[in-house]
């Protein structure tokens, strides 16, 4: 029997119950840091050390974090379905919970690359991306090609190279589940609109969400509770 295809689109809210902050909730990261200073390409060229320190802090927090029940329930769906996780998160909690098909639209905190690679010129090649784990990266840490290492993150102002692949996955899905994103940052926020007319679309978020599509069923719960409901719905 052909397995149904599930696309799970996640944001910072899926990792909130693991103790990692979200960006735009009260007390979120962007209350304390200006994203244009610490997470934009202009910010990188203006002050590389500030950006490196910001992601060193993210990595240190990630080292202490553990996947939560929502990550585990998402990974568990792979027993019955073809599951693709398309996340805006730069943490590695989906992988650590056992998900085997994860696309990081906005990059990965545990990876770095020479700052002159993975550009439009080289076709966004990830050939020189290396895994730095939870280690800190400093100004002066150079790649073999002599370039400064930078976070393998999609900064504000940069292209989102994996968007095309993500659209293909959502367009082929039987069910789309959106978990824990404020749907404020495009193009990721518009991804669910590529779902087929007959696909079921669910959004899990304890807050009100900016979607007005009658097809979408809002499960107004935290990720761990909402994912239990999704598992029941998909039985
Ligand atoms: N369970 C589910 N959802 C939650 C929970 C929870 N426990 N706690 C908060 N949320 C919801 C919030 O209500 C909000 O809608 O998660 C969402 C978090 O929204 P943001 O903080 O804006 O995070 P996200 O949508 O992932 O941000 C998108 O913005 O700054 C960029 O690149 C960054 O990937 C990030 C992108």
């Amino acid at each position: 029997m052909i397995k149904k295809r599930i696309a799970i689109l996640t944001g910072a809210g899926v990792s909130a119950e693991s103790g990692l902050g979200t960006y735009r909730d009260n007390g979120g990261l962007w209350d304390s840091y200006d994203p244009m200073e610490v997470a934009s390409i202009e910010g990188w060229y203006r002050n590389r050390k500030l950006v490196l320190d910001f992601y060193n802090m993210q990595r240190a927090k990630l080292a202490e974090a553990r996947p939560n029940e929502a990550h585990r329930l998402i990974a568990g769906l792979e027993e019955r379905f073809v599951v693709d996780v398309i996340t805006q998160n730069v943490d590695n909690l989906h992988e650590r919970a056992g998900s085997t098909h994860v696309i990081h639209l906005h990059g990965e905190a545990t990876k770095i690359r020479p700052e002159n690679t993975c550009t439009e010129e080289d076709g966004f090649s990830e050939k020189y991306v290396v895994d730095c784990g939870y280690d800190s990266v400093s100004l002066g840490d150079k790649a073999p090609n002599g370039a400064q290492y930078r976070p393998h993150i999609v900064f504000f102002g940069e292209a989102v190279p994996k968007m095309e692949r993500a659209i293909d996955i959502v367009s082929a899905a039987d069910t789309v589940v959106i978990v824990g994103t404020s749907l404020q940052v495009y193009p990721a926020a518009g991804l669910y609109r590529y779902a087929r007319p007959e696909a079921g679309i669910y959004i899990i978020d304890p807050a009100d969400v900016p979607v007005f599509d009658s097809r979408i069923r809002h499960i107004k719960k935290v990720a761990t509770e909402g994912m239990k409901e999704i598992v029941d719905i998909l039985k």
Side-chain angles (χ1 to χ4, degrees):
M1 200 253 290
I2 296 177
K3 286 187 175 181
K4 293 275 189 192
R5 308 184 74 90
I6 316 283
I8 311 266
L9 314 182
T10 66
V14 79
S15 299
E17 292 162 271
S18 293
L20 293 182
T22 60
Y23 293 96
R24 295 175 183 82
D25 287 329
N26 293 336
L29 267 174
W30 298 152
D31 282 353
S32 314
Y33 297 90
D34 176 353
M36 292 307 126
E37 291 299 315
V38 296
S40 78
I41 187 60
E42 295 81 11
W44 171 251
Y45 289 130
R46 196 166 34 246
N47 186 339
R48 287 176 173 77
K49 183 179 179 321
L50 188 67
V51 175
L52 288 167
D53 289 347
F54 177 74
Y55 284 96
N56 288 340
M57 180 197 69
Q58 299 294 343
R59 247 176 253 116
K61 278 199 290 186
L62 184 50
E64 303 308 312
R66 298 286 173 273
N68 63 54
E69 188 58 12
H71 295 107
R72 284 191 289 275
L73 289 171
I74 289 167
L77 289 174
E78 292 190 17
E79 289 158 26
R80 294 186 289 138
F81 303 99
V82 174
V83 182
D84 286 284
V85 176
I86 301 168
T87 187
Q88 297 174 76
N89 299 341
V90 296
D91 67 52
N92 59 357
L93 297 180
H94 282 301
E95 291 88 344
R96 286 163 59 188
S99 286
T100 56
H101 292 89
V102 183
I103 290 178
H104 287 268
L105 290 178
H106 296 162
E108 299 179 66
T110 57
K111 294 185 178 165
I112 52 175
R113 68 179 197 246
E115 68 171 323
N116 57 356
T117 64
C118 194
T119 61
E120 201 154 358
E121 290 69 32
D122 70 9
F124 301 106
S125 163
E126 297 198 345
K127 194 169 140 195
Y128 300 100
V129 172
V130 298
D131 202 312
C132 63
Y134 305 113
D135 296 342
S136 287
V137 180
S138 305
L139 207 52
D141 288 349
K142 302 281 175 78
N145 75 355
Q148 168 68 44
Y149 270 124
R150 64 161 270 182
H152 184 47
I153 296 289
V154 177
F155 290 141
F156 283 104
E158 293 190 304
V160 181
K162 297 186 174 165
M163 195 58 199
E164 228 172 288
R165 173 88 188 95
I167 289 169
D168 290 346
I169 289 169
V170 171
S171 309
D174 298 293
T175 302
V176 177
V177 184
I178 304 160
V179 191
T181 172
S182 61
L183 296 171
Q184 306 276 312
V185 176
Y186 285 81
L191 197 48
Y192 73 88
R193 297 197 186 120
Y194 289 89
R196 293 180 295 148
E198 62 274 23
I201 309 179
Y202 303 86
I203 183 163
I204 299 172
D205 197 312
D208 291 331
V209 289
V211 286
F212 311 98
D213 180 329
S214 56
R215 278 193 305 165
I216 299 175
R217 187 170 141 195
H218 181 192
I219 299 173
K220 202 165 183 180
K221 294 180 179 174
V222 293
T224 50
E225 293 308 312
M227 274 310 303
K228 286 175 190 158
E229 195 166 324
I230 288 290
V231 170
D232 285 345
I233 290 167
L234 293 174
K235 273 201 170 36

